[in-house]
Amino acid sequence: MKLHFLGAAREVGRSGILLDAGKRILLDYGVKLGGRTEYPMPFQGFLDAYVLSHAHLDHSGFAPSIYESANVPCFSTYPTLALSSLLIQDSLKIAKLREGHAPFAPFLLRKFEHAFIPLGYRKPFPLARDITLTLADAGHIPGSAVTEIYAEHKRLVYTGDFKLEETRLHRGADFAEKADILLIESTYSQRDHPPRKELERRLKEEIRETLELGGNVLFPAFAVGRSQELLILMPELAPGAEVFIDGMSRTATQIVADYPSYVKDANALRKGMKNAEWVETEAQRKKALSKPGIIISSAGMLEGGPALSYLLRLNERSKIILTGYQIESTNARRLLEKKQIEVDGITTDIKTPVEYLDMSAHAGRSDLIEFVKRANPEKIFCIHGDECEKFAEELCGMGFEAYAPAIGKMFEV
Ligand SMILES: [Zn+2]
Ligand SMILES: [Zn+2]
């Protein structure tokens, strides 16, 4: 087998790995968002299959470009197709606004959608006579998958993004098998996240305090995953409080609700959805801000969406609670570090208090090591992290053969 690392090599973003095992299989093909969008390396030659681990743009965002010259089957789960289409469509709009043009012709998104072949979890699919593809629940966002490819009598496992710990939305990654070759995300290789239960207790307290003061709690939330988790939590953490959901968080929630078997407790999601008011008009936004209540809205990194317009109109008794990953040079990062945001080149100071609760959808250090120990692979490639080299070195110290490939590197395994 040959591996070619086209992105997410010693960085978070633009995931892309080309596997040649007799058939040429591309694992993810995403973009790196931030100040300026970056793309994975191009690859030469044809593809036999494309496997998409989950909907996040750093894994899916550049996938339509593959369809410029070929029709490659795209294997993924049902929710991943629907959610990635939503996110890619939105990213095209943003790219046109910011850069004046889209990174690929919009009709390629339709070609990508038509190439889709749905796979359920734990349903092995024969890619060729002696190559099998299996997806397993990664516990990261709805539809997210750990990819297993069995070829040349070896089991290659690509974790994509995953989480072992159970949350209100997911049971945690369902993968504990032996692997020969492991490609593991390393986003949080250097620290652990606080336990979810503890974070939920703190969240409850923050919400109670803010509502008692007469303020609004604003959750700038990722449309996929975090918005649904917060919706599920609200009836329990803030019973009786008014909850509003706005922006792409709404559309993504509807899609997730269409595939109930991909969340832990579909009834809890339905209850959370019923508990919230679905904001579609400016009048509803004004209403949401007019009295104490909870607002869940995209965009999670405050780079646009209704979350940004709410933020600028909050009263000083309110609170902004960030719960996810903040990419460098985004408004979420600026807000947390400097209490400022930047819109159309204009910097504004923000007086509303900001809180960060580390409700990550990724495995922390202990869980990454736990996953490695369970898989007990012959070779490990640490990818999708800012400290891949350090993590690989640490794994070598534990007796594993581990690498942190640089972008463009090829390996024979
Ligand atoms: Zn992800
Ligand atoms: Zn990712």
Side-chain angles (χ1 to χ4, degrees), residues 140-142 167 169 196 219-232 296 322-325 357-362:
H140 171 61
I141 57 166
T167 66
L169 196 58
R196 211 42 147 232
F219 289 104
F222 293 131
V224 180
R226 184 52 34 78
S227 294
Q228 293 82 52
E229 186 180 356
L230 289 170
L231 273 179
I232 292 172
I296 301 167
L322 298 170
T323 61
Y325 185 78
L357 290 177
D358 179 15
M359 295 175 72
S360 179
H362 290 266

Side-chain angles (χ1 to χ4, degrees), residues 27-179:
L27 304 169
D28 286 342
Y29 211 47
V31 294
K32 184 174 181 178
L33 300 168
R36 165 179 76 84
T37 307
E38 292 176 82
Y39 302 94
M41 279 182 57
F43 52 89
Q44 258 80 51
F46 63 94
L47 288 177
D48 292 296
Y50 172 61
V51 183
L52 176 55
S53 69
H54 67 289
H56 280 152
L57 288 171
D58 60 320
H59 299 257
S60 69
F62 207 39
S65 73
I66 303 167
Y67 294 86
E68 190 105 47
S69 56
N71 276 317
V72 185
C74 165
F75 296 94
S76 199
T77 62
Y78 274 113
T80 295
L81 175 78
L83 293 167
S84 58
S85 294
L86 174 75
L87 297 182
I88 295 170
Q89 187 80 52
D90 184 63
S91 76
L92 284 178
K93 264 191 263 163
I94 294 169
K96 271 189 212 151
L97 278 177
R98 276 201 192 160
E99 284 147 46
H101 61 90
F104 46 80
F107 81 93
L108 293 176
L109 176 57
R110 299 283 96 81
K111 269 185 91 178
F112 157 75
E113 287 164 351
H114 284 124
F116 175 65
I117 298 177
L119 284 188
Y121 291 141
R122 301 263 169 209
K123 300 272 191 305
F125 183 92
L127 286 179
R129 209 159 54 89
D130 44 7
I131 305 178
T132 310
L133 164 69
T134 312
L135 302 180
D137 190 352
H140 171 61
I141 57 166
S144 63
V146 172
T147 304
E148 184 197 290
I149 290 171
Y150 188 78
E152 298 175 6
H153 309 291
K154 282 187 192 129
R155 184 176 275 139
L156 178 138
V157 172
Y158 166 51
T159 64
D161 294 352
F162 76 98
K163 187 173 184 71
L164 288 187
E165 190 191 7
E166 186 169 0
T167 66
R168 298 294 175 125
L169 196 58
H170 296 294
R171 283 186 195 91
D174 168 34
F175 195 88
E177 283 93 329
K178 162 98 182 98

